[in-house]
Amino acid sequence: MKLDILVLAAHPDDAELGCSGTIAAHVAKGHKVGIVDLTQGEMGTRGTPEIRLKESDDAAKILGLSARENMGFKDIYFKDDETHQHELIRIIRKYQPDIVLANAVTDRHPDHGKGSALATNACFMSGLRKIETFQDGVSQEPWRPKFVYHYIQNNYIEPDFIFDISQYWDTKVASIMAFKSQFYDPANDEPASFISSPEFLPFIESRAREFGHRIMATYGEGFTVERFIGVDDLFDLK
Ligand SMILES: [Zn+2]
């Protein structure tokens, strides 16, 4: 099945935290959007891989995704190497996305920068005819996405463009809250983590408001690009 947008995320919940408003906006426009999580987040302080897979499915329904799957790479230990690149090339060729949204180029969690580099490399390599990959025993055609944009997640990065998610803020929050095991819940007696603090969701909101404010909207999500974006109509810019 071809996707218009493929979101690659080092951990289940990265896509929701970084770009779920943008995802919801494009699903509403009729685009087919899917998320592929690289790991099950099994090194996270809270939850289990089984719980996080169930939470990922719940978030997928909230966002109206056309596909969601998990690569099962090792959390923390996966590498931007030939083995992982080829696995990801198989996914890119399978879904043939025009646009890929990838992790932040650098962030607090080292998997985010590593996942970002892996995504960028795999998107380029996927266009190389001489790299052969197979899906269900069938040789795949080369495919290079037109654009790779990086969503900003934990650490502040000055964005290259900001997407107005004001209409989709509630959907974003609902998709984040689908990951019940990860966020603040007074009834959860698992150890506290960086993101389970009651301060975390207000932080997510303040970031979205800061980005929104910069484009005269209520809420926004910021992205960086690795090459210039061209325009042919100045009236398309907001
Ligand atoms: Zn993460």
Side-chain angles (χ1 to χ4, degrees), residues 57-85:
D57 284 347
D58 293 344
K61 289 190 187 84
I62 290 165
L63 292 173
L65 299 181
S66 299
R68 184 163 205 163
E69 58 179 292
N70 195 297
M71 301 297 289
F73 292 170
K74 281 176 81 175
D75 194 7
I76 292 282
Y77 296 109
F78 77 85
K79 288 190 165 62
D80 175 20
D81 64 7
E82 188 175 331
T83 306
H84 293 85
Q85 286 158 356

Side-chain angles (χ1 to χ4, degrees), residues 10-14 17 52 103 109 111-112 153:
H11 310 113
D13 76 13
D14 286 351
L17 290 166
R52 294 190 77 172
N103 279 111
H109 198 304
D111 278 357
H112 296 173
Q153 195 172 327

Side-chain angles (χ1 to χ4, degrees), residues 8 102 112 197:
L8 297 173
H112 296 173
S197 147

Side-chain angles (χ1 to χ4, degrees), residues 143-206:
W143 181 270
R144 184 171 292 150
K146 292 190 189 79
F147 301 101
V148 180
Y149 302 130
H150 298 269
Y151 47 89
I152 295 163
Q153 195 172 327
N154 189 74
N155 292 0
Y156 183 83
I157 298 175
E158 190 72 1
D160 293 322
F161 70 89
I162 294 169
F163 195 92
D164 179 356
I165 62 158
S166 305
Q167 277 184 274
Y168 300 97
W169 172 248
D170 292 343
T171 310
K172 179 181 174 98
V173 172
S175 75
I176 292 171
M177 294 314 292
F179 292 86
K180 292 184 200 72
S181 69
Q182 301 300 303
F183 299 106
Y184 181 62
D185 172 5
N188 186 329
D189 57 8
E190 286 192 281
S193 73
F194 182 70
I195 61 174
S196 73
S197 147
E199 306 303 328
F200 191 72
L201 285 169
F203 153 69
I204 295 293
E205 175 164 4
S206 65

Side-chain angles (χ1 to χ4, degrees), residues 88-97 122-135 137-145:
L88 216 48
I89 291 167
R90 184 179 58 75
I91 288 293
I92 293 161
R93 290 175 175 176
K94 173 182 172 184
Y95 288 116
Q96 304 184 332
C123 285
F124 179 83
M125 292 166 71
S126 177
L128 300 177
R129 185 162 296 278
K130 289 189 174 167
I131 295 180
E132 204 172 22
T133 53
F134 296 88
Q135 175 73 28
V138 180
S139 178
Q140 293 179 299
E141 288 296 313
W143 181 270
R144 184 171 292 150

